Amino acid sequence: MIAIRRFNESDWPCVWAFLREAFAAGDACVFAPDSKEADIHHAWVASPAATYVAVDDGRVVGSYYLRANQPGLGSHVCNCAYVVTPDARGQGLATLMCEHSQLEAVAMGFRAMQFNLLVMTDERALRLWQRLGFSVVGTLPRAFHHRHFGYVDACVMYKELVTQTD
Amino acid sequence: MIAIRRFNESDWPCVWAFLREAFAAGDACVFAPDSKEADIHHAWVASPAATYVAVDDGRVVGSYYLRANQPGLGSHVCNCAYVVTPDARGQGLATLMCEHSQLEAVAMGFRAMQFNLLVMTDERALRLWQRLGFSVVGTLPRAFHHRHFGYVDACVMYKELVTQTD
């Protein structure tokens, strides 16, 4: 039974371990394989509005952050990033975290969610976010430096979380 | 004769005065009308890769910043924001600063430039950036909270600065 709760500082060693592993692949996350722990702690925990962990029987198996994507007059649109541990894949955890994040975002007053740099070669993620209601806004030519393929296209994805009359 | 040079801290009082005025309009810049000076100093000067001022006969008439738009594997794409003082408008200063920024960006190793939140009601800016080679990547529905019109569409714009074979 997987539960999602707010991140505590005591989760960090575990979260950092699987973030570092995910970034090492260099094929989907914007954070570089050689990212420094302090920089990632800042990006994942210190600067976002909130950070969460997915816990399966006491074990942390995923994490995501939720933050305003822009300051001021764009701050009603949020941004999230999700990472699942390798041994917890294929159980719908990304879906669970994304659905959780949308509810949290609305509760915090956000009106839309944006993914800024979805790598086009990551077809599985692209399909997943589309199934969860995100649209491809457009393509950013060669905006992602893929570890294996070099400069590849990325896309911006977007989903409104509240109706216009809200 | 307008010259563009690197920002010095002694320029800040002047730059802050016209940034504050530009943000007060709430119709084009993402920074809120009630932005705090320290936050804007951080966003405009401290955190970007570089900040510039346009100087006309010793008077600062515009400013822009240049920064990586994303960390790590997206850090070869830069982002800029430009502000022109009200009494210097209509002289092609935005064009001059944008062309300057593209040269600086290439010199720093950036490969593309992205504008994240161009307000669709700001048709003059939209036409200007298109004339300077930027394409509309796509539309973000109601992503900008306009002071007069409420939630309005914005778009992402993008221009590659080097050819694929570089």
Side-chain angles (χ1 to χ4, degrees):
Chain A
M1 177 66 189
I2 292 171
I4 297 177
R5 62 159 171 81
R6 284 287 187 114
F7 168 93
N8 298 318
E9 259 324 306
S10 60
D11 299 319
W12 178 247
C14 174
V15 170
W16 168 237
F18 65 74
L19 289 181
R20 189 169 42 179
E21 192 174 340
F23 302 161
D27 60 356
C29 299
V30 75
F31 300 106
D34 61 352
S35 294
K36 291 189 172 59
E37 181 173 356
D39 292 340
I40 299 304
H41 186 275
H42 180 79
W44 203 269
V45 175
S47 70
T51 305
Y52 301 82
V53 289
V55 180
D56 185 6
D57 199 20
R59 208 164 45 91
V60 176
V61 291
S63 179
Y64 78 88
Y65 70 69
L66 173 57
R67 65 179 181 112
N69 196 44
Q70 295 289 340
L73 305 180
S75 63
H76 56 289
V77 179
C78 69
N79 167 250
C80 291
Y82 314 86
V83 167
V84 173
T85 60
D87 53 339
R89 284 185 194 146
Q91 300 176 46
L93 186 49
T95 298
L96 202 67
M97 287 198 292
C98 184
E99 287 174 340
H100 187 272
S101 69
Q102 293 179 46
L103 293 173
E104 289 290 298
V106 171
M108 288 181 192
F110 289 109
R111 302 174 63 89
M113 188 178 288
Q114 181 172 333
F115 300 149
N116 296 307
L117 202 67
L118 203 284
V119 187
M120 295 298 271
T121 52
D122 190 4
E123 291 170 20
R124 209 172 51 92
L126 194 64
R127 278 197 305 272
L128 175 61
W129 305 141
Q130 285 177 314
R131 199 165 69 235
L132 293 173
F134 289 79
S135 300
V136 174
V137 167
T139 302
L140 305 167
R142 289 170 280 282
F144 185 85
H145 197 192
H146 193 288
R147 188 174 177 180
H148 303 297
F149 306 135
Y151 295 106
V152 297
D153 295 352
C155 68
V156 176
M157 301 192 80
Y158 194 85
K159 179 180 180 179
E160 291 192 85
L161 303 175
V162 296
T163 59
Q164 202 185 344
T165 54
D166 282 358
Chain B
M1 178 67 189
I2 293 172
I4 298 177
R5 63 161 170 79
R6 285 287 188 117
F7 169 92
N8 297 317
E9 260 324 307
S10 60
D11 298 319
W12 178 247
C14 173
V15 170
W16 167 237
F18 65 74
L19 289 181
R20 187 169 44 180
E21 191 174 342
F23 303 162
D27 59 357
C29 300
V30 75
F31 299 107
D34 61 352
S35 294
K36 290 189 174 59
E37 182 173 354
D39 293 340
I40 299 303
H41 186 275
H42 180 79
W44 204 269
V45 175
S47 70
T51 305
Y52 301 83
V53 289
V55 180
D56 185 6
D57 198 21
R59 208 165 45 93
V60 176
V61 292
S63 181
Y64 79 87
Y65 70 70
L66 174 58
R67 65 180 181 111
N69 196 45
Q70 294 289 340
L73 305 181
S75 63
H76 57 288
V77 179
C78 69
N79 166 250
C80 290
Y82 315 86
V83 167
V84 174
T85 59
D87 53 340
R89 284 185 194 142
Q91 300 175 47
L93 186 49
T95 297
L96 202 66
M97 288 199 291
C98 184
E99 286 174 341
H100 187 271
S101 69
Q102 293 178 48
L103 293 172
E104 290 289 299
V106 170
M108 289 181 193
F110 290 109
R111 302 174 63 89
M113 189 179 287
Q114 181 173 334
F115 301 149
N116 296 306
L117 202 67
L118 203 283
V119 187
M120 294 296 270
T121 52
D122 190 4
E123 291 170 21
R124 208 172 51 91
L126 194 62
R127 277 197 305 272
L128 176 60
W129 306 141
Q130 285 176 315
R131 198 166 68 235
L132 293 173
F134 288 80
S135 300
V136 174
V137 167
T139 301
L140 306 166
R142 288 170 281 280
F144 185 85
H145 196 193
H146 194 288
R147 187 173 178 180
H148 302 297
F149 305 135
Y151 295 105
V152 297
D153 294 352
C155 69
V156 176
M157 300 192 80
Y158 194 85
K159 179 179 180 178
E160 290 192 85
L161 303 175
V162 297
T163 58
Q164 201 183 347
T165 53
D166 282 357

